Amino acid sequence: SLAEKLGIKDKEKITVSIDGKKIKITAKITKGIEENTVSIPLGFGHITGKFSKNIGANPLVFLPYKRDLLTENFIFHPLKIKLEKEKI
């Protein structure tokens, strides 16, 4: 797996960066996704809120704000990322 190639273990803190934008997340190693793929769920990153401020990370910061002209759905493209283990 990609995690094994990079020496990343389950529940290890990592930094994901794309074009200078970074988020810190906890790795969750799972089976069932394409080799050489990183999947980050949406909806767990909050920057405001009485109880949820600064909890989690929002991967939407990486996505260009582009929409399909016909459907107005967001257009998602594969992105080239960099993964780094958190330095202790």
Side-chain angles (χ1 to χ4, degrees):
S1 74
L2 180 62
E4 289 172 338
K5 289 178 191 174
L6 298 174
I8 296 171
K9 295 178 176 57
D10 196 48
K11 298 183 182 171
E12 189 168 31
K13 302 290 184 192
I14 60 173
T15 299
V16 180
S17 57
I18 299 173
D19 295 331
K21 298 174 187 172
K22 297 180 179 184
I23 61 172
K24 293 185 183 223
I25 61 173
T26 302
K28 176 64 181 156
I29 311 302
T30 59
K31 296 183 190 290
I33 65 169
E34 184 68 32
E35 183 70 22
N36 296 318
T37 298
V38 174
S39 177
I40 304 172
L42 300 175
F44 294 103
H46 301 276
I47 56 173
T48 62
K50 185 175 181 179
F51 300 106
S52 59
K53 186 175 182 180
N54 297 323
I55 294 177
N58 187 354
L60 288 176
V61 300
F62 296 135
L63 300 178
Y65 187 77
K66 294 182 181 175
R67 289 183 173 236
D68 179 80
L69 295 176
L70 180 62
T71 65
E72 295 190 3
N73 290 328
F74 284 105
I75 300 172
F76 295 102
H77 295 285
L79 301 169
K80 190 167 189 167
I81 69 169
K82 180 178 179 183
L83 297 176
E84 297 175 278
K85 292 167 51 165
E86 193 170 278
K87 295 176 177 80
I88 299 173

